[in-house]
Amino acid sequence: FSYLMSCPSVEKALASGSSSDLLIMESSSSSSSSTRISSVQKWQSNVRVLHDFPLQYHALVIANQSWKLISILYHGTPRWIAKLIRLILFVISLLPAFVVFACYYVITSDRIAVAYIQEKPKRTSRHYLDVYGSQKTQQQPKREEGKAVVIFLTGGAWIIGYKMWGALLARALVPFGVLVIIPDYRNFPQTNIKGMIDDINAAIHWTFQNCHLNGGDPKRIVLVGQSAGAHIGSCVLLQKIQDAANNTSTDNRDSRWSVGDLCGFIPVSGPYDLIKMRDILHQHGLDKGIVNAMFCNDLKRYSPTCFLLELDNNGEGIDISAESIQRDRSSNGDNNSIRSTTTSPRTYNMFRSQFPPTCVIHGKTDRTVPYSISVDFFKALQRIQIQNTVSLKLYEGWGHTDPILEAPFAGDHAFHRDVFELVQLWTNNKTEKGSGEDSTTFTVFDPSNPACKKICPSVLVDLGRFFNPF
């Protein structure tokens, strides 16, 4: 279902009759044009998407990837069946909220879906991102200061992730003058962690190059990630810094942005230590075989906490550079050895100077990823003494998906408020009330805003928390 929802042609079909609200366009990452495309051009773009990704393509990919996943699950732990049943009960319990959620995503939002990879041989139907809060003017010149931009990386256990899961964050932040960009990315088994990192790398690059076309300021970008999105985002930042230190990159497409260009990073409920998480994930139905396949049989390399600890340990660091990963891709299979490399003072100092201001967030009743995982990640960042601020925020009584689902459903926007305040702090977002619909922004997050109202009875939210498999 997640894959099917990701298909632009399906999105368009779901929004038939509402083409003015749900628009899909393609925007070249190298384009310097400042003119927003017209409705006719957007419609023509939809036709091109349907031509590039016909239903036969989706049917073939879904069948192929489903068969791969089912084959792995069949030989693994059967615990995923119980988790699937709980997931179904979770959705049923919160159905009134999910209806509002879906209506916002498909019909009432100003969402624009954009292809962030233009090369057709490389692009799939997962290589699209959603832009919320773009200005609705015909001319959108590049300005020295535009809206603050939040890039939100959704979770989904690296398997069921989809950009729609971030819609509530966009719904809460857009009324306060924030441009929200939520990229989709390929999931397992369509790709492994290497492909996910590449996809997010490309999406961030697209944002730096094109957010001004939608009223955003490329100098005021904050990266936010939840669960698997927080993990992938952390891996992207660490790899980019190591590539910059080694003057290496496997892809010129994403070589023009650096970690130091980000104003901040907010990882939420992330599994930053895969070695500690392996048994926990297995108990939750994510078989060890799947975990090993997703992370190329090298959990240590893709564990941000382990990387940071080894970086601080006598100058030794795990080699996660693009050059090293490219060597692995050239070798037979994905059975990568753990590489350690002596870190030069230049590399160590680059990590300390480039890593952006960071606030690590987690719920204290998270049953999927213990909050101690975030505490360890926070302490590892402190140990290397990055020059920017690092903080830790723990939410009492919140589980794994509370920041993005249950809490907003119940009208509790503490997470959205904290994100907004951090964005303002890090981007020096001095907004002012203006005149007209498109220029109205706010300096204070107002929970009484209609976008922040409660959309589900508390009793159903509590029931959903009981059935929540995550």
Side-chain angles (χ1 to χ4, degrees):
F1 176 76
S2 293
Y3 184 89
L4 189 63
M5 286 294 295
S6 74
C7 305
S9 55
V10 175
E11 291 180 353
K12 182 62 189 179
L14 288 172
S16 59
S18 303
S19 59
S20 61
D21 293 314
L22 179 58
L23 304 170
I24 300 176
M25 68 176 186
E26 296 183 11
S27 175
S28 174
S29 60
S30 61
S31 173
S32 61
S33 172
S34 61
T35 304
R36 292 285 303 279
I37 62 177
S38 65
S39 297
V40 173
Q41 289 174 310
K42 290 174 181 176
W43 176 257
Q44 291 173 342
S45 178
N46 285 321
V47 174
R48 289 198 302 273
V49 172
L50 287 168
H51 179 268
D52 291 342
F53 301 106
L55 292 179
Q56 295 92 325
Y57 164 87
H58 300 306
L60 179 62
V61 173
I62 292 172
N64 183 40
Q65 302 306 322
S66 297
W67 174 253
K68 287 182 180 179
L69 187 59
I70 291 174
S71 298
I72 297 174
L73 290 172
Y74 177 77
H75 294 93
T77 175
R79 295 180 180 179
W80 66 270
I81 299 176
K83 294 295 181 180
L84 178 61
I85 294 174
R86 293 189 65 173
L87 178 61
I88 294 172
L89 294 174
F90 172 74
V91 173
I92 293 174
S93 301
L94 298 174
L95 192 58
F98 279 117
V99 170
V100 177
F101 188 161
C103 286
Y104 172 77
Y105 181 78
V106 175
I107 300 173
T108 63
S109 70
D110 65 349
R111 181 176 64 93
I112 302 171
V114 185
Y116 62 83
I117 290 182
Q118 296 303 311
E119 300 88 346
K120 289 186 178 180
K122 297 181 180 180
R123 189 175 73 214
T124 72
S125 60
R126 301 306 296 259
H127 290 130
Y128 285 77
L129 52 80
D130 289 337
V131 180
Y132 298 83
S134 58
Q135 294 185 355
K136 301 176 182 178
T137 55
Q138 290 298 317
Q139 300 292 328
Q140 185 59 57
K142 186 172 182 178
R143 302 179 301 177
E144 293 185 1
E145 182 176 345
K147 294 181 177 181
V149 181
V150 167
I151 304 174
F152 183 59
L153 310 180
T154 58
W158 305 277
I159 296 177
I160 59 172
Y162 180 51
K163 54 192 172 75
M164 183 178 73
W165 308 137
L168 287 181
L169 179 115
R171 186 171 183 259
L173 296 185
V174 165
F176 304 103
V178 178
L179 185 72
V180 180
I181 295 177
I182 306 177
D184 202 5
Y185 56 90
R186 290 170 295 167
N187 289 180
F188 183 82
Q190 191 175 13
T191 191
N192 55 29
I193 185 61
K194 299 174 185 176
M196 299 177 205
I197 290 174
D198 286 346
D199 289 352
I200 296 305
N201 224 334
I204 296 174
H205 169 71
W206 182 96
T207 302
F208 275 106
Q209 296 296 311
N210 294 280
C211 69
H212 68 276
L213 298 175
N214 296 282
D217 187 345
K219 297 180 182 179
R220 304 170 66 202
I221 297 177
V222 173
L223 182 66
V224 184
Q226 190 268 339
S227 189
H231 168 263
I232 297 170
S234 301
C235 289
V236 169
L237 299 190
L238 296 177
Q239 180 180 305
K240 285 292 291 186
I241 295 176
Q242 193 169 50
D243 287 345
N246 298 337
N247 293 318
T248 59
S249 177
T250 60
D251 194 343
N252 291 329
R253 177 184 65 223
D254 55 37
S255 62
R256 286 175 288 176
W257 75 275
S258 68
V259 173
D261 294 331
L262 291 170
C263 292
F265 178 42
I266 307 176
V268 185
S269 307
Y272 313 108
D273 190 334
L274 297 175
I275 297 176
K276 288 185 177 180
M277 285 297 304
R278 177 167 45 191
D279 291 338
I280 298 174
L281 293 173
H282 184 81
Q283 293 171 4
H284 280 76
L286 201 57
D287 188 76
K288 293 180 180 179
I290 294 180
V291 173
N292 288 332
M294 282 194 297
F295 300 106
C296 312
N297 295 312
D298 197 345
L299 301 186
K300 189 174 184 179
R301 167 184 277 178
Y302 298 106
S303 295
T305 299
C306 295
F307 176 88
L308 293 172
L309 291 177
E310 294 212 10
L311 181 69
D312 186 56
N313 183 20
N314 297 323
E316 293 291 325
I318 304 168
D319 192 352
I320 60 169
S321 65
E323 183 182 31
S324 172
I325 292 176
Q326 184 65 23
R327 288 196 301 265
D328 291 335
R329 285 175 172 166
S330 301
S331 63
N332 294 326
D334 282 325
N335 186 18
N336 306 325
S337 61
I338 298 175
R339 304 179 186 273
S340 293
T341 179
T342 301
T343 305
S344 67
R346 176 177 179 271
T347 302
Y348 186 82
N349 290 334
M350 187 167 288
F351 274 95
R352 294 183 63 235
S353 63
Q354 283 207 3
F355 208 89
T358 301
C359 180
V360 183
I361 294 178
H362 214 115
K364 294 190 72 172
T365 59
D366 192 333
R367 295 173 296 181
T368 301
V369 181
Y371 76 90
S372 60
I373 298 292
S374 280
V375 173
D376 291 343
F377 182 58
F378 165 70
K379 290 181 178 179
L381 286 171
Q382 282 189 317
R383 284 185 60 176
I384 65 171
Q385 298 179 337
I386 67 173
Q387 295 178 2
N388 291 305
T389 59
V390 181
S391 60
L392 173 69
K393 188 174 184 63
L394 302 176
Y395 293 115
E396 294 287 346
W398 278 24
H400 191 66
T401 57
D402 264 286
I404 63 167
L405 291 177
E406 293 97 321
F409 284 170
D412 185 350
H413 292 270
F415 169 66
H416 296 155
R417 182 195 62 240
D418 289 340
V419 169
F420 178 73
E421 291 177 353
L422 287 169
V423 168
Q424 284 204 319
L425 174 66
W426 292 335
T427 64
N428 295 319
N429 189 5
K430 297 178 181 179
T431 56
E432 297 177 355
K433 276 196 174 183
S435 59
E437 178 185 359
D438 295 332
S439 60
T440 302
T441 53
F442 303 84
T443 56
V444 178
F445 187 87
D446 182 7
S448 65
N449 187 283
C452 300
K453 67 179 181 180
K454 184 177 182 179
I455 60 175
C456 188
S458 299
V459 63
L460 293 183
V461 173
D462 292 338
L463 188 62
R465 287 187 174 117
F466 175 79
F467 287 122
N468 192 332
F470 303 110

